[in-house]
Amino acid sequence: MDYLLTIILTIFSVYGQANAVTDLKMKEALDWLIFKSYKKIGVWVAVVFGILACCSLWKTKSDAQRQHNEDVKRINDLQHSLDNVSEQNARQSAMLAAQAATIDEQSRTIGSIAYNTRTTLEGKKRFVRCFRDLTRLTKLNPDGTVFEGLICDDGVAMYWFRRDNRQMTGFHFFPNSELNRVLSGLPTDSLLFAADGSLNVDPQSELAIAFNESLFGKTPTAKGNPIEQERVLESIIEELELLLRYVYRAQSIRVEPSTTQDAVTRQKRFAGIAISFRYIVDPFADTLVERALPFSKFMFSEGFVQSLCGISKVEFSQRVIEKWRSMGVEPKIRMQDIHALNRICERKEDRRNSPFAKRSLEDE
């Protein structure tokens, strides 16, 4: 259609050059077409430009068609490449999923090993040495505070005392599983400090995260569901028993929930916990002697037990120690006791590992 319109336009242009078009008659037009009376230069100019217009139009459409074909081919190639990339991404996603599953399985295996592996004495001593420095990264303020660690078979019990009167103010027990996790991110002493003597540990490192999670992990939050309430109470009681064992040298611990009966509904409701225990009088005696406290039972009210929910382990120990202190019961562990017990532990380990010491039948 474009070419036809161009030819018709050329014909009328030629006719206009060859004849007067002010008074056009059909017979004259037919005579001009039949006899081809091309007697003026403008006729040939119009014909040439008409031919050039047709050629230009053909070339333009030909170039456009070729460009269109190239675009279609390029789009098809891009689509093919995109399909290949999508397939590669799908394969890589499958590989990553498989690798993630493998890593997760390995993490569980490593976690199980760390949980069940006994931390060495050297590792525990290294942890105690670094504890004072590492606490500077945490919310603990070491100003006016002395930290001491008691090395135990199942972990390390850390205590902090006031510097002025050596009064115990806090406690946290690190079992072997937590020690292994912290020690896995603990750099050597040469890397722990920067050249200027400042502590150089990234707060986002595995070490800082593990340290904060173990030391500042939260106790369970109080729940409204009765079943959840029992689980939270059991967790609080476990924390209390742990603290009593390592801070008050407690033995034969009994922690029992106490209830009261509503006078109107006759329903029993939780009213707190009753605690009783005996303690070891002298941990250095050849024969250990247990003694009961002046009162057979101590009551922790419902309100106090609720205040122990949803707080950090550090704050938990501080509140409980202050609570016992308000009832006239002081911690049974002193700084000199920790030093002496650690020396005993080290001597036993030295004898056990010495190639010259006579081994007992039990060691064999």
Side-chain angles (χ1 to χ4, degrees):
M1 180 60 70
D2 293 337
Y3 298 109
L4 179 61
L5 292 176
T6 301
I7 292 172
I8 293 174
L9 178 61
T10 302
I11 291 172
F12 277 99
S13 298
V14 169
Y15 178 78
Q17 288 289 332
N19 303 278
V21 294
T22 55
D23 187 16
L24 179 63
K25 294 181 180 180
M26 182 61 67
K27 184 176 182 302
E28 295 175 353
L30 292 175
D31 291 341
W32 175 80
L33 290 173
I34 294 173
F35 296 106
K36 302 178 182 178
S37 56
Y38 305 122
K39 299 179 180 180
K40 296 181 179 180
I41 190 64
V43 174
W44 298 105
V45 172
V47 171
V48 170
F49 277 99
I51 294 172
L52 292 176
C54 291
C55 292
S56 177
L57 182 61
W58 172 82
K59 186 177 185 304
T60 300
K61 296 193 69 173
S62 177
D63 292 343
Q65 184 63 38
R66 185 175 62 256
Q67 184 65 38
H68 173 72
N69 294 336
E70 291 177 357
D71 291 341
V72 171
K73 183 177 182 301
R74 186 161 49 250
I75 291 173
N76 291 334
D77 292 341
L78 291 175
Q79 184 64 42
H80 182 68
S81 299
L82 182 61
D83 292 340
N84 291 337
V85 171
S86 299
E87 292 178 2
Q88 291 178 1
N89 288 338
R91 289 194 297 268
Q92 290 177 353
S93 298
M95 291 176 59
L96 289 175
Q99 291 174 356
T102 302
I103 292 173
D104 184 61
E105 183 179 356
Q106 291 175 347
S107 298
R108 289 196 299 268
T109 302
I110 293 173
S112 176
I113 294 173
Y115 186 83
N116 293 285
T117 301
R118 179 177 178 269
T119 310
T120 64
L121 176 63
E122 181 59 32
K124 292 175 181 178
K125 291 168 64 176
R126 183 167 172 237
F127 173 80
V128 173
R129 287 197 304 268
C130 296
F131 184 90
R132 302 174 183 85
D133 300 318
L134 295 175
T135 49
R136 295 191 179 97
L137 294 176
T138 68
K139 292 169 285 187
L140 276 179
N141 184 359
D143 294 339
T145 303
V146 178
F147 295 95
E148 296 291 346
L150 176 62
I151 297 175
C152 310
D153 287 339
D154 52 349
V156 171
M158 292 302 307
Y159 306 85
W160 37 102
F161 302 85
R162 292 183 55 177
R163 191 181 300 275
D164 52 0
N165 58 10
R166 297 196 172 187
Q167 187 181 68
M168 187 185 297
T169 58
F171 157 84
H172 183 74
F173 182 76
F174 292 86
N176 286 329
S177 58
E178 289 185 3
L179 286 178
N180 291 336
R181 186 184 177 197
V182 173
L183 289 170
S184 67
L186 190 63
T188 60
D189 293 344
S190 60
L191 298 177
L192 184 61
F193 294 95
D196 59 356
S198 61
L199 193 64
N200 186 21
V201 178
D202 183 3
Q204 299 301 320
S205 66
E206 179 184 359
L207 168 61
I209 293 173
F211 191 81
N212 280 290
E213 284 181 357
S214 59
L215 188 59
F216 291 99
K218 300 286 186 179
T219 57
T221 306
K223 306 290 184 180
N225 186 293
I227 298 178
E228 292 293 331
Q229 288 179 356
E230 292 182 5
R231 294 179 61 183
V232 171
L233 181 59
E234 288 177 358
S235 179
I236 296 298
I237 290 176
E238 288 178 0
E239 292 291 336
L240 284 172
E241 291 176 342
L242 183 69
L243 186 143
L244 288 172
R245 186 161 58 250
Y246 288 96
V247 175
Y248 296 92
R249 302 201 298 262
Q251 300 290 316
S252 306
I253 303 172
R254 295 188 63 182
V255 182
E256 299 174 346
S258 177
T259 58
T260 58
Q261 189 175 32
D262 189 277
V264 179
T265 62
R266 298 294 181 181
Q267 293 182 349
K268 293 184 178 182
R269 58 182 298 272
F270 177 71
I273 54 177
I275 303 174
S276 62
F277 65 91
R278 301 173 67 84
Y279 69 95
I280 296 175
V281 179
D282 184 3
F284 303 101
D286 295 333
T287 303
L288 298 181
V289 178
E290 296 182 6
R291 181 180 298 171
L293 293 172
F295 299 97
S296 58
K297 287 186 179 181
F298 291 83
M299 288 296 302
F300 281 4
S301 66
E302 177 188 7
F304 181 75
V305 174
Q306 293 290 337
S307 71
L308 299 178
C309 298
I311 61 176
S312 68
K313 301 293 183 65
V314 172
E315 190 176 358
F316 178 93
S317 67
Q318 292 171 342
R319 289 189 183 184
V320 174
I321 291 174
E322 286 301 318
K323 179 67 174 178
W324 282 109
R325 185 169 285 133
S326 68
M327 294 187 295
V329 181
E330 287 288 336
K332 305 298 182 184
I333 298 294
R334 301 168 300 172
M335 293 178 63
Q336 54 266 37
D337 296 334
I338 296 174
H339 298 161
L341 289 170
N342 282 340
R343 286 195 296 270
I344 294 174
C345 178
E346 291 176 8
R347 285 198 299 268
K348 288 182 178 179
E349 189 71 12
D350 289 341
R351 287 197 299 268
R352 184 183 298 112
N353 296 327
S354 174
F356 310 106
K358 182 179 180 181
R359 296 185 177 183
S360 64
L361 293 177
E362 181 180 354
D363 292 334
E364 293 291 343

